[in-house]
Each structure stands twice: as C-alpha cells, then as structure tokens.
Amino acid sequence: MFETLSDRLTSVFTSLRGKGRLSEEDIDTTAREIRLALLEADVALPVVRAFIARIKERAQGAEVSKALNPAQQVIKIVNDELIDILGGETRELRFAKNPPTVIMLAGLQGSGKTTLAGKLGRWLAAERNTPLLVAADLQRPNAVTQLQVVGERAEVPVFAPEPGNGVGDPVEVARASVEQAEHNNHNVVIIDTAGRLGVDSEMMQQAADIRDAVTPDEILFVVDAMIGQDAVNTAQSFLDGVGYDAVALTKLDGDARGGAALSIRHITGRPIMFASTGEKLDDFTLFHPDRMASRILD
Ligand code: GDP
C-alpha cells in the first residue's frame, strides 16, 4: 500500500539528512520534490497546492526545536499535514438512537460494495451487533446470489426478494428490509445498492429513491482506491447525485500511489470511514488517518 509515494518521500527526506539548518533554497527544493511526489501519486491538484502551501509556511516559520534536526522537523511537518489531509480524527460509525441503524452503500459496479457489505456485517457482528444485509442491487442477475454467498461466509443473514417474483423493486426491498429488521431485532441494516460501470443518472436516481424511502443513518460511498483521480471525479458525482456521509475506500492493498486516499477528503469534505485491504472478509478496518500517515512515512 502506497509504496511508490513512501519511497519518493523517503528519498526527499534522505537528501535533507546532515543539514545543520534549512536555507530558503532547501525549503523550496524540498517543497518542489514533495509536490512532484504527490503529483506522481495522482493526488488532485487543488490538494497538492494546499498541501505544499502549508508545508512551506510551516517550514519557513520552523518551530526551533532542540530535540529535532531539520530533516526530522520536515518529516514531522509532513506527517502532521498528511494526517490533516487524510481527515484528522478517526470517524466512528454513528448508531441511530432508535434501532435499526440503517447504512446504505452506494458506488460504481465493481467498487467492492457487496464485499464491503459482508465485511462490515461481520465486523459489526463481532462487536455484538445483529446486522442484516439487504440485496437491493436487482440490476445484475448475479448480485443477489453474490450477496447471499458473502452473507453466508460472513455468517450474517441476508434479506433478498423471493426468487421467481420478477425483477422486483429495490426501493420496496429496502423498505421491507427495515420492517423485517424491526421485527427480528436486527440493530443494523446494511443495504447494498446497484452500481453501474460508469456514472449514470438512472443509477443515481435509484439510489436517491432508496435513500428517500429509508432515510439512512449513514450513507457510505464505496470507491476503488486503485482508480486514483477518477475516484475523486466519481466521488463528486455521487455527492451531487445521492449525497453521502462518509467514504469506504476499497482495494487499498493494490494501491501503490495513494492519490484517492489523499484527495478524497479535501475535495468532498467527507471523511474516509473504512479501509478495505484485500478480498478476505477480515481485510477491513476503520480508517485511522494517523496510522495511515505513519505508514506512508515509515
Ligand atoms: P460491487 O460490484 O461494488 O458489489 O463489487 P464486489 O464486492 O463484487 O467487488 C468487485 C471485485 O473486487 C471482487 O472480485 C472482489 O473480490 C474484489 N474486492 C473487493 N474489495 C477488495 C479489496 O479491498 N481488495 C482487493 N484486492 N479486492 C477487492
């Protein structure tokens, strides 16, 4: 994860080692190199600009510290700013005062929604919750079966339309699932919605209709981190078309650059809540900006 970015930043810091004091020129060169590293990592330009401005400002006014040499000071500044750009605090899941807590997943086809539904369900069940997964993706013939398979592996029950009843209405399925959860004491409902390969107004409308029918407590935008800047564009379209409270970043295990992770919070104003780091059900955690920054600078 983020190997390319890590390597680039490490080499920037290495060139500062042994310097007694940072000249104006050193700061400029360092800022330029960090800028290049971020651009190569596919970080969105407004984010790069804001990041570099902060680094320069803080390096110029460098806190004179006896404990840290100039290279260490720059590392500390970059670390602080990375944490900030990744969202600062960890965003915890918000539970509804009156159960069930309704979580809706939205995102493109292939972004990892169904897998994430299973991971989230299992993660919640391990914390003594009683989740119910809901198959409201009725677009793809296999989507319902796929969620059932994921649910079985995660040992989390799945609510799905009866087979043979035609295609079914995803809005009705979502609405009925909440009623079912109330009757059967499921305290969390996780609704998997339909995605398309690209941004599409019909898909957005369907997600918006489900949203209006069940008023979710949390809408999570699920996005594949490996698509870099495209993740940022898609994130913006979903923000305009459906709206969401937080982001779940998937496939971080295959993302050497980190552009999506570093851009999405700044561009959308929405925190990253979950990180998916593999195909296995356990490859899933709450997203911790400070741990992620340390990982990048490790
Ligand atoms: P959906 O169309 O949004 O429901 O996406 P799926 O859940 O079906 O995932 C699409 C593909 O991505 C599947 O092959 C998953 O196994 C894979 N996948 C999902 N999450 C991750 C992840 O975090 N890492 C990796 N490497 N693969 C993932």
Side-chain angles (χ1 to χ4, degrees):
M1 198 193 300
F2 306 166
E3 300 84 358
T4 317
L5 179 61
S6 275
D7 292 351
R8 281 297 304 262
L9 289 176
T10 306
S11 75
V12 175
F13 302 141
T14 306
S15 64
L16 289 175
R17 233 183 262 151
K19 287 199 186 281
R21 213 183 137 267
L22 293 189
S23 65
E24 196 70 22
E25 204 186 327
D26 291 329
I27 294 174
D28 278 346
T29 310
T30 306
R32 217 172 16 248
E33 286 173 3
I34 295 174
R35 184 174 189 279
L36 273 178
L38 295 176
L39 288 174
E40 271 177 32
D42 212 17
V43 178
L45 198 54
V47 182
V48 176
R49 289 209 182 104
F51 192 90
I52 296 302
R54 288 282 301 151
I55 301 282
K56 277 181 107 165
E57 186 186 307
R58 285 189 58 187
Q60 277 155 355
E63 308 92 51
V64 182
S65 160
K66 292 208 170 68
L68 300 178
N69 64 39
Q72 289 167 330
Q73 280 189 29
V74 171
I75 294 172
K76 182 179 182 318
I77 293 171
V78 172
N79 182 60
D80 291 350
E81 295 302 321
L82 279 176
I83 295 174
D84 196 55
I85 214 98
L86 289 166
E89 302 284 305
T90 302
R91 164 69 153 77
E92 305 279 344
L93 189 66
R94 289 185 199 134
F95 288 88
K97 275 201 204 87
N98 300 314
T101 297
V102 178
I103 303 172
M104 172 175 151
L105 308 181
L108 294 182
Q109 184 180 318
S111 59
K113 285 186 302 300
T114 306
T115 311
L116 191 96
K119 290 176 170 185
L120 182 56
R122 185 176 157 105
W123 181 79
L124 284 165
E127 300 285 320
R128 297 175 179 279
N129 295 287
T130 49
L132 178 67
L133 306 184
V134 181
D137 176 357
L138 309 181
Q139 219 81 40
R140 274 190 306 136
N142 277 337
V144 173
T145 319
Q146 201 193 333
L147 187 69
Q148 281 165 331
V149 170
V150 165
E152 211 159 289
R153 269 201 285 147
E155 295 176 18
V156 176
V158 174
F159 182 88
E162 294 290 323
N165 280 0
V167 178
D169 176 1
V171 175
E172 282 314 313
V173 170
R175 215 194 309 262
S177 75
V178 176
E179 276 171 28
Q180 164 103 345
E182 280 163 3
H183 288 136
N184 292 359
N185 288 327
H186 291 288
N187 75 330
V188 185
V189 174
I190 301 167
I191 304 175
D192 186 18
T193 66
R196 302 274 172 106
L197 289 174
V199 169
D200 163 308
S201 58
E202 202 183 319
M203 164 187 72
M204 290 288 181
Q205 190 56 50
Q206 185 177 96
D209 290 344
I210 295 176
R211 174 199 68 200
D212 294 344
V214 300
T215 47
D217 299 287
E218 298 273 24
I219 302 178
L220 297 185
F221 170 60
V222 182
V223 65
D224 174 348
M226 290 202 294
I227 65 175
Q229 291 244 11
D230 278 345
V232 175
N233 301 334
T234 311
Q236 192 59 54
S237 304
F238 272 82
L239 199 56
D240 300 337
V242 189
Y244 48 86
D245 303 289
V247 176
L249 269 184
T250 64
K251 310 190 195 181
L252 279 166
D253 50 310
D255 179 22
R257 303 201 291 171
L262 287 172
S263 308
I264 220 155
R265 166 65 207 245
H266 186 95
I267 300 285
T268 65
R270 298 294 181 275
I272 303 169
M273 184 151 56
F274 293 111
S276 181
T277 53
E279 293 190 81
K280 292 201 295 294
L281 283 170
D282 287 336
D283 298 329
F284 174 81
T285 58
L286 260 179
F287 184 83
H288 299 288
D290 53 347
R291 288 186 210 166
M292 196 54 83
S294 314
R295 224 182 146 134
I296 293 171
L297 296 182
D298 207 7

